[in-house]
Amino acid sequence: KQEVTQIPAALSVPEGENLVLNCSFTDSAIYNLQWFRQDPGKGLTSLLLIQSSQREQTSGRLNASLDKSSGRSTLYIAASQPGDSATYLCAVLRSNDYKLSFGAGTTVTVRA
Amino acid sequence: DTGVSQDPRHKITKRGQNVTFRCDPISEHNRLYWYRQTLGQGPEFLTYFQNEAQLEKSRLLSDRFSAERPKGSFSTLEIQRTEQGDSAMYLCASSLGAENEQYFGPGTRLTVT
């Protein structure tokens, strides 16, 4: 069974600081890994998708790395802004059944 | 295309009542998924369709839950005899093929009183 863990569960930083969010998964048989953003009471917005053959993916201030063999991914958000305050979820697409397994998320607060 | 849409966005119902939610996927997407998310947790898989065929149901989906996707377009999720434990966010997602990115709708927040 695939288990996805995100540490820390919550994070508070001052504006301008870089954010580092961690995700680990127990089974390396994945097809891809996605990072999502979720605002309170809202649905999921996809931020980045990394294929299992890739090492990293970048979009603007966001950079995500993937080390499939060690079961880890890290999301970096540069120069954080109050608008980055949200819950960030990672999810892996299992290659045996193509189902998404989610972590519980990291709730980020960026203080102005 | 405007993305995945869900209706209603919020539903408050009394215990024992039946509720039905609708999901409209991105038009060319052949796969449609339902997830349930409780407070402080990540979404959990409930069921999925490939075109009109329901291919798998999670053990989380009790006999009170039923999902359909007639004609392989929109999907409905019905909960019969709702219980307080059914209170959650119900999320729908769609994708073009099993291995491609899943796009999520805004969700339906269900509160059972």
Side-chain angles (χ1 to χ4, degrees):
Chain A
K1 183 190 174 199
Q2 178 71 272
E3 293 187 3
V4 182
T5 304
Q6 292 186 247
I7 295 173
L11 188 59
S12 178
V13 298
E15 183 176 3
E17 192 165 302
N18 296 334
L19 287 164
V20 180
L21 308 179
N22 297 302
C23 172
S24 62
F25 47 95
T26 55
D27 187 349
S28 62
I30 66 167
Y31 197 86
N32 60 46
L33 183 146
Q34 276 184 268
W35 281 95
F36 294 90
R37 170 184 172 138
Q38 187 172 35
D39 293 295
K42 306 292 186 181
L44 306 181
T45 300
S46 181
L47 297 174
L48 290 168
L49 181 147
I50 312 176
Q51 301 291 351
S52 62
S53 58
Q54 296 178 311
R55 297 284 291 180
E56 67 177 322
Q57 194 69 253
T58 297
S59 176
R61 294 185 295 113
L62 276 58
N63 174 277
S65 66
L66 174 64
D67 184 341
K68 196 176 81 161
S69 61
S70 67
R72 294 180 183 178
S73 177
T74 302
L75 177 66
Y76 300 90
I77 303 177
S80 61
Q81 304 167 359
D84 294 328
S85 298
T87 296
Y88 293 82
L89 295 149
C90 75
V92 296
L93 188 68
R94 308 187 311 219
S95 55
N96 59 341
D97 59 10
Y98 296 106
K99 287 183 191 170
L100 275 178
S101 293
F102 283 85
T106 294
T107 298
V108 171
T109 302
V110 180
R111 308 185 302 271
Chain B
D1 190 280
T2 57
V4 179
S5 61
Q6 293 187 246
D7 184 71
R9 298 290 303 276
H10 304 276
K11 179 72 176 178
I12 300 174
T13 190
K14 292 185 178 178
R15 188 179 56 181
Q17 298 295 305
N18 300 342
V19 294
T20 300
F21 309 142
R22 176 178 171 128
C23 170
D24 286 89
I26 294 172
S27 58
E28 66 269 25
H29 285 184
N30 57 348
R31 285 214 165 196
L32 186 148
Y33 306 82
W34 285 98
Y35 295 84
R36 181 170 67 189
Q37 185 180 25
T38 53
L39 199 62
Q41 300 299 315
E44 293 177 291
F45 169 81
L46 291 179
T47 188
Y48 82 93
F49 294 82
Q50 175 139 329
N51 299 314
E52 67 276 8
Q54 186 175 16
L55 295 186
E56 188 169 346
K57 295 193 293 186
S58 163
R59 58 182 169 76
L60 294 175
L61 218 60
S62 75
D63 291 345
R64 297 183 297 105
F65 289 71
S66 63
E68 295 182 341
R69 192 184 182 195
K71 303 178 184 178
S73 55
F74 71 92
S75 175
T76 58
L77 178 68
E78 181 183 16
I79 309 174
Q80 296 182 328
R81 305 181 304 281
T82 52
E83 302 173 355
Q84 287 188 321
D86 297 331
S87 295
M89 173 78 88
Y90 290 85
L91 294 161
C92 175
S94 69
S95 68
L96 183 61
E99 69 279 12
N100 291 322
E101 186 172 355
Q102 293 185 23
Y103 294 85
F104 281 77
T108 294
R109 166 76 63 189
L110 173 66
T111 301
V112 181
T113 61

